[in-house]
Amino acid sequence: MIKISRKASTILSLVLAAVFLLGLIFIAVIMPHLIDYFLDTPDTAGTRENITKGEICLLFILSYAAVAAAVAADICVIQILRQVRRGEVFTAKCVSLIRTVSWCLIIFGLIFIPIGYYFRLAFAVALAAGFMGLCVRVVKNAFEEAVAIKEENDLTV
């Protein structure tokens, strides 16, 4: 297996997070075309047959809200990676950023539940995002405990 240095790994992660952010911005720009494309896709369940203008408006709002949640999470990931580069990992700020990422993922998942009414695959996205939010919360809890232990050790010395 390929092994790269910690510094290179952090830089690679920062680059990927920046590319992901640019991708999210691109998606936000082309969102009207994406929604039109997906609405024109045949639906075997038949729930998009008589979609109203109000429902299309709701899809736009939910889609942009999902992109906003993803952008917020990605910005927090970039901030976490910057903390890692500075060697400030087990800090309250890092825990707060991880908490924000977890909530963004959970919110992203919740946003996709009503989208699932129109696009069945959105239910799978909602489930995956919710599970990832749960996983990140577990990591946040571990980091929070590590910060408490670190603070206790700092007071002992």
Side-chain angles (χ1 to χ4, degrees):
M1 176 151 290
I2 298 172
K3 180 154 172 67
I4 60 176
S5 70
R6 285 185 294 173
K7 183 178 179 182
S9 179
T10 304
I11 290 170
L12 177 62
S13 297
L14 273 167
V15 168
L16 291 173
V19 168
F20 187 73
L21 185 60
L22 291 174
L24 288 169
I25 293 168
F26 178 73
I27 286 172
V29 170
I30 66 165
M31 186 68 72
H33 302 293
L34 283 175
I35 290 176
D36 286 341
Y37 172 78
F38 285 119
L39 286 174
D40 290 339
T41 304
D43 182 20
T44 57
T47 56
R48 295 193 310 253
E49 202 170 278
N50 299 318
I51 191 166
T52 66
K53 290 193 183 286
E55 291 171 317
I56 291 173
C57 183
L58 176 64
L59 279 172
F60 270 97
I61 291 167
L62 292 171
S63 298
Y64 279 112
V67 169
V71 166
D74 193 43
I75 289 170
C76 288
V77 166
I78 291 169
Q79 290 177 337
I80 292 167
L81 290 167
R82 291 178 69 210
Q83 293 275 115
V84 169
R85 283 189 71 196
R86 288 193 300 265
E88 300 170 0
V89 180
F90 297 109
T91 63
K93 181 178 181 180
C94 217
V95 169
S96 176
L97 290 167
I98 295 170
R99 178 183 296 114
T100 303
V101 171
S102 74
W103 280 115
C104 287
L105 285 166
I106 290 167
I107 289 168
F108 186 89
L110 290 173
I111 289 168
F112 263 76
I113 291 172
I115 294 174
Y117 177 76
Y118 303 102
F119 306 102
R120 297 290 185 240
L121 190 57
F123 287 128
V125 173
L127 184 65
F131 182 71
M132 287 302 300
L134 173 65
C135 291
V136 173
R137 287 207 64 78
V138 170
V139 170
K140 187 271 309 175
N141 291 338
F143 261 76
E144 203 165 34
E145 189 63 28
V147 168
I149 291 169
K150 180 182 173 274
E151 288 174 355
E152 185 178 312
N153 285 342
D154 288 348
L155 291 174
T156 303
V157 175

